[in-house]
Amino acid sequence: GREDFAARLYGRAAERFRRAADLQPREGLPHVLLAQARMSQGKYHEARDAMVDGVRLWPAFPASPFRALDLFGDDVAAY
């Protein structure tokens, strides 16, 4: 999913992150990644829902070292 995201294949990345969330239902990171992909697609309501799930499952997320900027690879302008 991360490779697809960096290649701007946000729909494909979202599908992979959604599948990861289904496979790891108690992990917050796949939901956070799904939220980033949905946001990049302009699907803001779906992004919000995924982020709420991610933060619920990973309450330490806001203080974590996760940086959405890293998902964009060398394409910082897309961020």
Side-chain angles (χ1 to χ4, degrees), residues 34-36 38-39 43-52:
L34 175 58
Q36 294 298 323
R38 292 293 188 216
M39 205 168 357
K43 297 181 177 183
Y44 303 112
H45 290 101
E46 292 177 32
R48 183 197 62 84
D49 293 344
M51 187 59 77
V52 167

Side-chain angles (χ1 to χ4, degrees), residues 7-67:
R8 290 188 178 191
L9 301 172
Y10 303 126
R12 191 168 162 184
E15 179 57 28
R16 290 179 190 263
F17 295 144
R18 188 198 55 76
R19 278 193 267 158
D22 289 346
L23 291 171
Q24 299 176 323
R26 295 183 181 180
E27 295 292 324
L29 180 59
H31 295 278
V32 170
L33 293 170
L34 175 58
Q36 294 298 323
R38 292 293 188 216
M39 205 168 357
S40 294
Q41 291 179 292
K43 297 181 177 183
Y44 303 112
H45 290 101
E46 292 177 32
R48 183 197 62 84
D49 293 344
M51 187 59 77
V52 167
D53 290 340
V55 172
R56 180 178 50 79
L57 292 166
W58 185 19
F61 164 70
S64 76
F66 176 83
R67 291 177 17 142

